[in-house]
Amino acid sequence: MMTMSDRYRQAAALSPDRIRTLMRNRRIDPVWTGTGDSFWYKRRGRDGEQFVLVDPEIPSRTVASSAAELGIDDTGGSSEPEILRGPDERGLIRRNNDLWLVDANGETQLTFDGEPDFSWGTIPSDNNMVVPFRRRGLKLPPMGTVHSPSGRRVITMRPDERHISIKYMTENVAPSERARPEVHSWRVQLEDEGPPPESECRIIDLDTGGWVRVDAADGLVSQLSTNGSTEVTWSSDETRLYMLHHHQGQSRASLVEVDTRTGERRDALVIENEPLYEPNQFLYNLPLVRVLPEHSEAVIFSQHDGWGHLYLYDLNTGLEKNRVSEGHLVVRDILHLDSKRREITFVAGTSEDGGNPYWRRVYRAGLDGGTQRLLTPEPADHELVAPAPQFFNLAFGHGKTSERSISPSGRFFVDHQSTVSDPPVILLRDANDGGRVVLELERTDIGPLLEAGYVVPQSFCVKADDGVTDLWGILSMPNEPLDPAHIPVIEDVYGGYQTTHSPHAFIGASMMASRHVYLPAYNALGFAAVMLDGRGTPGRERAFRQWTFRRSHTEAGLEDHVTAIAALAAGDPRLDLDRVGIIGHSYGGYNAARMLLMFPDFYRAAVSSAGVHVAKKLPYGMWDWHIGGDTDRVSDRYTHLGNIHLADRLSGDLLIACGEIDENATVDHSYALADALIRAGKRFDFKIWPGVGHYDRSPYASMVYWDHFVRSLLGQRPPVDYVPIGP
């Protein structure tokens, strides 16, 4: 019989950092050489790192112990983080709030009116990463600045933050070990302070230094600093450029054409999707828009038929020409568009064949419609890397925005094929030949992971309250429960609208369902673990996706979690519904507290980590997807988004936790909930982590969360002889 100390040690052995080392070749990142469609990647051999060079045309796969043996460059090239290089190798830098051109002749000043808090090429302060970037010493290139294809012109912006109030955070144990705490500050316009000022935008001719002002009214360039070059399409003669114009929570979107010679703009096409338009259901992915200026056409995402399809539009008339994609599916990423072949390759999810609707599948379709082909027919998830927003690459170190799983020509792609219970087989496929498998590149070795005690989870599908709608998730059971007949349950929650939460690929998949890596520790401790996506989350038909729109102040979407776990227990009576706990971070921290308060008869314990508990404390517009942009800020629809009004409903065991320098979910949210609970006379636990930001989680914090559930749900004392490794 395992002691509680044994359980903690096994949980630590299955921590997120350890899990990644317990699998060999879980994923590969192809580096396209620039010579045809050949690429190389790194793999873990039994004796160390190896390099693999692949030529898809032959096809061949050559393995070597060093990059030099294959004649490839593994250095990544010279790094100039402060310089934004253009296609002609001239660069831009920021100095003293202005933009400067760097070329063979030296440096030339381009703008002359930059000033503090009104600076060219800077990121807006409300992006939640200003302080982390500053603490990391990260020197950014000019942001919100995009070169034209020739490199002669750039479009650039500067956010006006001169009259935005300053927010502060105190780092009480500063890294410098000075006695005096360090105060961090940044400017942010909060929800109760109204909309921020408009940004200014210019198009600059780098040859002459001349410029025109772009009419950027109504937030036209609001996504430019996030998406970078993928936000803008230039015509071949560079006299026009195109950008998507849309605000979260609104039904209208337009593709705006800007005259680069005058700065004037017009709506080339307008889409109205009542009640809500979305450029992509997955808001951490790029907008699903591709413009073909020379054909006067654009491909754009719409849900007006109830699903998530790509449509072809005529830019001269603004009218829809035809639907590009087909069937009951939701497009998630565009991998490649070939204007000559008039074909587009994309990732989408569907359940038309009775499979999991969240499994990513690769399709190719002709732009003129009626020719869609499935390239990945296997019943599994097919993970590919699509171009990501520029800002996310900077914030999370995902690499260059050029990294992708599809070759430069669009013919070949690298497919990570897996399910939650079947480890990846990594394949090279030929998109021009119906997705034919060209080579098997790797099979993931999970032997060490299983030896460490990893429990392979199982996917499940149950019905929502309506008895019709499918809810999908995963369940993993402990190998050695304390009481095999009565197993407590921990749900890891993120009921957010931005992305899916429950995994549908094998553990360790990128971006999607990253918190899957926390479940093995709960199993080791003796808990069953659940992850689920309820209604209101992406990846499904419009009715499912927008179920919570203008209803997020109610229980809509959250009751699906209660329904699903109850259904699981009905099918497996070992699951103990009298001992259900819930944990979440960020928006999940908000949901964990909210669900404990909303469903006190169901959830017995919760850990709310870095939750956002007060709607008006967030940057302006952050709730617009939930409530629509026209909602009265004193209505219940708005004020009841937060958790403060629910404080008197607490009856379970709640742990509130937050990093003291979390710029994303600032610590005042946690303090506000704590204050409301104190005023309501409720008992709870409260932890503030010194020197911790939003994306940090230490082994010590994990131990504290385990302790909370071990006491509340297992009725056990945490082991005093377990010491977490690390701070």
Side-chain angles (χ1 to χ4, degrees):
M1 184 70 177
M2 293 179 68
T3 67
M4 193 54 66
S5 295
D6 293 334
R7 293 178 182 276
Y8 269 63
R9 281 189 286 271
Q10 186 180 65
L14 289 166
S15 66
D17 290 340
R18 292 296 306 278
I19 282 175
R20 296 180 179 93
T21 69
L22 296 173
M23 295 182 284
R24 286 197 304 116
N25 305 314
R26 166 60 184 86
R27 58 173 295 114
I28 67 171
D29 298 306
V31 180
W32 306 99
T33 65
T35 303
D37 283 336
S38 65
F39 64 94
W40 63 270
Y41 66 91
K42 295 180 183 179
R43 72 181 303 274
R44 281 177 56 199
R46 294 194 178 278
D47 298 322
E49 185 177 72
Q50 295 177 324
F51 294 80
V52 182
L53 180 63
V54 179
D55 187 335
E57 297 281 359
I58 295 177
S60 65
R61 176 182 179 274
T62 307
V63 182
S65 58
S66 70
E69 290 181 52
L70 298 176
I72 58 179
D73 180 11
D74 182 35
T75 64
S78 58
S79 176
E80 299 171 284
E82 296 179 81
I83 300 179
L84 179 67
R85 290 289 178 189
D88 58 4
E89 290 305 309
R90 291 186 294 179
L92 295 176
I93 60 172
R94 282 198 312 118
R95 179 175 296 134
N96 297 327
N97 305 303
D98 280 302
L99 291 180
W100 292 65
L101 176 67
V102 180
D103 58 18
N105 299 318
E107 299 180 356
T108 305
Q109 190 168 356
L110 294 173
T111 64
F112 297 86
D113 54 352
E115 58 182 280
D117 302 315
F118 198 28
S119 175
W120 289 103
T122 191
I123 54 175
S125 288
D126 65 1
N127 71 83
N128 298 330
M129 288 301 292
V130 168
V131 172
F133 284 168
R134 191 185 300 156
R135 293 181 77 247
R136 284 158 48 184
L138 183 61
K139 297 180 179 180
L140 299 178
M143 300 295 292
T145 304
V146 176
H147 286 87
S148 66
S150 72
R152 176 180 175 179
R153 295 176 175 86
V154 294
I155 181 171
T156 187
M157 60 172 285
R158 59 171 175 169
D160 186 358
E161 301 178 325
R162 292 170 294 179
H163 305 294
I164 293 178
S165 298
I166 297 175
K167 193 166 185 176
Y168 299 94
M169 292 188 301
T170 301
E171 189 170 6
N172 289 282
V173 184
S176 62
E177 297 185 359
R178 294 179 302 176
R180 188 179 300 277
E182 185 173 348
V183 177
H184 302 284
S185 65
W186 73 105
R187 294 185 182 273
V188 58
Q189 191 86 350
L190 299 182
E191 271 282 356
D192 63 347
E193 296 171 338
E198 298 278 8
S199 295
E200 186 175 335
C201 180
R202 290 178 185 173
I203 297 173
I204 304 175
D205 188 316
L206 300 185
D207 290 347
T208 67
W211 57 271
V212 297
R213 184 189 300 271
V214 175
D215 177 9
D218 197 27
L220 174 64
V221 294
S222 61
Q223 294 302 306
L224 193 56
S225 63
T226 299
N227 295 333
S229 60
T230 51
E231 185 72 12
V232 180
T233 303
W234 303 74
S235 63
S236 59
D237 62 4
E238 300 183 0
T239 61
R240 292 161 291 135
L241 61 79
Y242 298 86
M243 290 187 288
L244 181 70
H245 185 214
H246 170 65
H247 292 290
Q248 277 191 26
Q250 295 185 357
S251 61
R252 183 185 191 274
S254 63
L255 188 66
V256 174
E257 179 186 87
V258 177
D259 189 319
T260 64
R261 298 158 297 187
T262 65
E264 295 179 350
R265 61 188 262 194
R266 75 175 185 93
D267 288 341
L269 66 89
V270 175
I271 294 179
E272 289 278 354
N273 277 187
E274 293 289 349
L276 177 68
Y277 177 79
E278 299 180 274
N280 191 328
Q281 283 193 5
F282 292 80
L283 301 187
Y284 293 153
N285 295 14
L286 286 169
L288 295 168
V289 180
R290 295 294 184 273
V291 184
L292 296 84
E294 308 321 308
H295 298 270
S296 296
E297 293 175 321
V299 177
I300 191 166
F301 179 77
S302 174
Q303 299 177 83
H304 65 255
D305 76 341
W307 293 90
H309 282 295
L310 299 176
Y311 292 83
L312 185 68
Y313 277 79
D314 186 319
L315 296 182
N316 292 322
T317 65
L319 298 178
E320 176 189 323
K321 298 178 74 171
N322 57 266
R323 193 173 68 189
V324 175
S325 54
E326 303 171 10
H328 292 175
L329 55 75
V330 176
V331 178
R332 302 168 59 136
D333 277 308
I334 294 175
L335 297 172
H336 189 265
L337 190 153
D338 189 325
S339 59
K340 292 181 180 179
R341 294 171 60 105
R342 293 188 66 76
E343 289 183 325
I344 189 167
T345 309
F346 59 90
V347 176
T350 183
S351 59
E352 277 189 310
D353 57 1
N356 187 324
Y358 297 97
W359 280 341
R360 292 166 286 187
R361 304 160 187 238
V362 182
Y363 295 84
R364 176 170 283 185
L367 296 183
D368 301 309
T371 60
Q372 178 174 292
R373 305 181 299 284
L374 174 63
L375 305 182
T376 53
E378 301 86 354
D381 180 73
H382 300 270
E383 179 188 353
L384 279 78
V385 177
Q390 178 189 42
F391 178 75
F392 288 168
N393 286 282
L394 289 169
F396 305 114
H398 292 159
K400 299 177 181 178
T401 54
S402 60
E403 285 188 352
R404 62 190 68 191
S405 295
I406 196 164
S407 67
S409 73
R411 177 179 175 183
F412 300 100
F413 63 92
V414 176
D415 173 20
H416 292 67
Q417 177 183 305
S418 74
T419 69
V420 292
S421 53
D422 301 307
V425 177
I426 306 176
L427 305 170
L428 177 66
R429 311 185 82 131
D430 187 340
N432 289 0
D433 192 9
R436 175 180 61 87
V437 175
V438 177
L439 287 172
E440 181 180 303
L441 300 174
E442 302 289 345
R443 282 183 178 262
T444 304
D445 178 5
I446 63 167
L449 180 66
L450 297 177
E451 291 173 5
Y454 177 67
V455 179
V456 175
Q458 298 299 314
S459 177
F460 68 79
C461 179
V462 297
K463 296 299 182 184
D465 289 339
D466 60 7
V468 176
T469 304
D470 287 338
L471 302 174
W472 287 79
I474 66 164
L475 170 67
S476 57
M477 300 291 285
N479 279 329
E480 297 190 42
L482 275 74
D483 180 354
H486 301 89
I487 303 173
V489 181
I490 293 178
E491 179 185 5
D492 192 297
V493 67
Y494 189 91
Y497 65 103
Q498 305 98 317
T499 186
T500 51
H501 185 58
S502 180
H504 303 282
F506 201 76
I507 193 168
S510 64
M511 290 292 287
M512 186 179 74
S514 59
R515 286 187 62 88
H516 183 186
V517 293
Y518 292 105
L519 268 57
Y522 304 141
N523 293 150
L525 295 172
F527 299 102
V530 173
M531 294 177 74
L532 168 77
D533 283 298
R535 285 173 287 182
T537 53
R540 302 281 294 278
E541 66 275 14
R542 184 180 64 187
F544 185 101
R545 164 60 171 162
Q546 297 181 5
W547 175 256
T548 57
F549 183 59
R550 294 200 170 110
R551 301 174 65 202
S552 294
H553 60 297
T554 71
E555 297 177 354
L558 300 182
E559 72 269 29
D560 285 342
H561 297 255
V562 175
T563 299
I565 296 174
L568 291 175
D572 187 343
R574 293 177 299 166
L575 298 176
D576 188 347
L577 290 187
D578 290 329
R579 294 185 293 167
V580 180
I582 188 166
I583 183 172
H585 179 77
S586 191
Y587 198 89
Y590 159 77
N591 281 137
R594 190 171 187 81
M595 292 161 77
L596 183 71
L597 298 171
M598 279 189 164
F599 308 105
D601 295 332
F602 188 82
Y603 293 103
R604 178 167 158 182
V607 173
S608 171
S609 172
V612 285
H613 304 294
V614 186
K616 65 183 180 181
K617 286 181 174 289
L618 283 174
Y620 186 85
M622 291 294 288
W623 290 102
D624 284 356
W625 185 93
H626 300 268
I627 60 177
D630 57 350
T631 295
D632 188 339
R633 261 45 179 181
V634 298
S635 66
D636 286 352
R637 184 192 292 174
Y638 182 78
T639 58
H640 285 190
L641 287 170
N643 291 329
I644 305 304
H645 69 288
L646 300 171
D648 62 350
R649 300 183 62 174
L650 178 65
S651 62
D653 296 330
L654 174 62
L655 168 59
I656 303 170
C658 187
E660 68 174 353
I661 54 169
D662 186 332
E663 185 185 8
N664 191 321
T666 49
V667 71
D668 54 318
H669 282 272
S670 294
Y671 277 119
L673 180 57
D675 177 66
L677 293 168
I678 291 169
R679 287 187 282 106
K682 301 297 182 178
R683 291 178 171 83
F684 63 98
D685 292 317
F686 192 23
K687 303 289 186 182
I688 302 296
W689 310 121
V692 169
H694 191 68
Y695 301 101
D696 305 320
R697 176 163 165 178
S698 69
Y700 185 88
S702 293
M703 178 192 70
V704 170
Y705 301 159
W706 301 344
D707 290 350
H708 183 74
F709 289 126
V710 164
R711 292 190 189 97
S712 298
L713 302 181
L714 292 179
Q716 299 281 316
R717 292 184 58 189
V720 295
D721 59 345
Y722 171 77
V723 178
I725 300 174

